[in-house]
Amino acid sequence: QVNLQESGPELVKPAETLSLTCSVSGGSVMPYYWSWFRQVPGQGLEWIGYIFHTGTTNFNPSLKSRLSMSIDTSKNQFSLRLVSVTPADTAVYYCARAPFCSQAVCTRFDYWGQGRLVTVSS
Amino acid sequence: QSVLTQPPSVSAAPGQRVTMSCSGSISNIGSHFVSWYQQLPGTAPKLLIFDDVKRPSRIPDRFFGSKSGTSATLDIAELQTGDEADYFCGTWDNSLSAVVFGGGTKLTVL
């Protein structure tokens, strides 16, 4: 059973950087794509982006200018950095695994972390 | 405004069958596989259906997915009170170059 666990600050000040890490246990980060999503409580899901175990990334165009991701195969974890945050970035952030993607297009995500509520506020 | 359109809510009695829809376009559902996710209150999404019609091994066959053209459907048979949740459809959109979702359908088991 693959388990994912998000970690990182729960409170970030406006204009600062949101950083989260997803630790993977029960399986390797190779050879999969790993994704981040967010969800404003009571609303729908928003895809943030994903990273392949090689470091190749694919980002949501709406967030691309503020976004970076990294992966550490030795630690079996991957990370998200979102700069210049505003209160609109307040959401529950989820990490998830994409077990199969075709030409960097992933349509299913089978294992999810429990989520991390991040609030952007001064 | 979500790219994929889902009815906000559906309801049915225990033991009955419910159908929920997910409508898109040639740019998304018409070109790529659809997945469905169940999100119980306060929990993470759980994969129910992938590749339009397939179920992960741990998902009972009461859950059935189908697709025709630019619309997908999730059917749940023999409803149980534990099925009360939000259900989301998702796929890739060529125009947006992004994974997209519907706004979700809240299932109430009366």
Side-chain angles (χ1 to χ4, degrees):
Chain A
Q1 175 76 2
V2 176
N3 288 299
L4 286 72
Q5 179 68 58
E6 302 91 349
S7 60
E10 295 177 311
L11 181 64
V12 182
K13 289 183 168 55
E16 295 192 346
T17 298
L18 183 158
S19 296
L20 292 173
T21 294
C22 183
S23 299
V24 180
S25 59
S28 173
V29 295
M30 299 185 288
Y32 301 105
Y33 278 86
W34 299 90
S35 189
W36 289 96
F37 298 88
R38 66 183 183 180
Q39 183 178 36
V40 174
Q43 297 188 22
L45 292 163
E46 180 182 23
W47 173 67
I48 297 172
Y50 40 68
I51 184 166
F52 194 41
H53 71 95
T54 58
T56 300
T57 55
N58 194 351
F59 296 156
N60 189 325
S62 68
L63 297 168
K64 190 173 184 176
S65 63
R66 300 192 290 132
L67 187 61
S68 63
M69 292 185 185
S70 60
I71 190 163
D72 188 331
T73 56
S74 66
K75 293 183 178 179
N76 229 35
Q77 62 187 29
F78 58 104
S79 299
L80 160 75
R81 288 184 80 249
L82 185 66
V83 302
S84 305
V85 296
T86 72
D89 294 309
T90 295
V92 177
Y93 285 74
Y94 294 101
C95 57
R97 187 184 82 166
F100 176 78
C101 304
S102 177
Q103 297 181 323
V105 170
C106 308
T107 59
R108 75 176 189 258
F109 303 90
D110 60 351
Y111 290 102
W112 293 66
Q114 65 184 26
R116 186 93 171 155
L117 175 60
V118 179
T119 301
V120 178
S121 174
S122 54
Chain B
Q1 189 78 2
S2 299
V3 174
L4 307 180
T5 301
Q6 296 183 253
S9 63
V10 295
S11 62
Q16 289 191 334
R17 182 186 190 95
V18 70
T19 296
M20 51 188 81
S21 61
C22 175
S23 179
S25 70
I26 189 66
S27 179
N28 43 64
I29 292 178
S31 298
H32 297 285
F33 288 127
V34 174
S35 292
W36 289 89
Y37 301 86
Q38 177 193 61
Q39 188 173 32
L40 298 169
T43 70
K46 173 182 170 182
L47 181 65
L48 281 182
I49 299 290
F50 66 96
D51 291 358
D52 300 338
V53 300
K54 298 176 183 177
R55 282 178 287 107
S57 58
R58 63 188 182 278
I59 301 301
D61 59 6
R62 300 189 296 111
F63 295 88
F64 180 81
S66 61
K67 188 174 87 173
S68 178
T70 58
S71 292
T73 299
L74 175 68
D75 285 275
I76 309 174
E78 302 170 11
L79 276 173
Q80 303 172 2
T81 55
D83 295 331
E84 283 203 338
D86 292 320
Y87 292 83
F88 295 93
C89 57
T91 187
W92 179 265
D93 188 287
N94 289 334
S95 298
L96 298 173
S97 294
V99 176
V100 294
F101 293 94
T105 296
K106 183 175 182 62
L107 170 63
T108 300
V109 182
L110 302 168

